[in-house]
Amino acid sequence: MKQKLVQAAMDMRNHAHAPYSNYRVGAAVETESGEIIGGCNVESSSYGLTCCAERVALFRALAEGHTSFNALAVATENGGSPCGACRQVIWDLCKEILVHICDKNGLLKTFSSSELLPDAFDDSHLK
Ligand code: THU
């Protein structure tokens, strides 16, 4: 299953809309039921409106009715790891999951989401 998730993230790089940075990012999330849903980065000419691949994958999964996730993979040319904003959204929507980080050749390393965002702020602070 991990290999399928990694491959899906790598394949999603082909859908990246990255005319400004030319940095193509693919992501894929595995739902509780084992479904794999992909996303890619989508850039805007107003650069700050860009949405990262991880968030596109997660928002797409939510929009399709999924609310619980097992793992997420992100793939870039050179093994870049999720930005700070995505780390927060991954924690908010997935809590503790595995995050696989890949370069153009495949899986490089795996972290837990709490390793990526230690001592996170979340909904528990709002109750
Ligand atoms: N990017 C992602 O898609 N995910 C990340 O976690 C880091 C950055 C995208 C945003 C932008 O389109 C490009 O990579 C360069 O920053």
Side-chain angles (χ1 to χ4, degrees):
M1 214 59 196
K2 179 170 78 178
Q3 207 37 53
K4 219 177 139 189
L5 185 65
V6 163
Q7 192 58 53
M10 292 172 72
D11 292 346
M12 284 308 299
R13 290 187 66 222
N14 295 319
H15 296 275
H17 179 71
Y20 309 105
S21 72
N22 287 312
Y23 193 69
R24 305 175 76 82
V25 187
V29 62
E30 184 191 312
T31 69
E32 190 178 34
S33 55
E35 203 170 314
I36 290 177
I37 294 172
C40 56
N41 56 331
V42 181
E43 297 185 347
S44 169
S45 60
S46 179
Y47 300 161
L49 302 183
T50 292
C51 197
C52 292
E54 299 90 320
R55 277 177 281 160
V56 170
L58 282 169
F59 295 165
R60 183 179 172 195
L62 253 82
E64 291 184 9
H66 301 283
T67 53
S68 189
F69 306 103
N70 295 332
L72 181 146
V74 56
T76 61
E77 164 86 18
N78 56 4
S81 64
C83 77
C86 287
R87 292 175 192 215
Q88 180 68 47
V89 171
I90 291 167
W91 181 259
D92 283 334
L93 297 179
C94 307
K95 292 292 187 288
E96 193 69 294
I97 61 162
L98 293 180
V99 179
H100 305 299
I101 294 173
C102 319
D103 67 9
K104 63 173 187 294
N105 299 314
L107 179 61
L108 274 184
K109 50 199 169 186
T110 298
F111 294 104
S112 69
S113 45
S114 63
E115 285 181 290
L116 293 177
L117 192 68
D119 197 24
F121 177 84
D122 64 19
D123 55 345
S124 69
H125 298 99
L126 298 172
K127 282 168 190 159

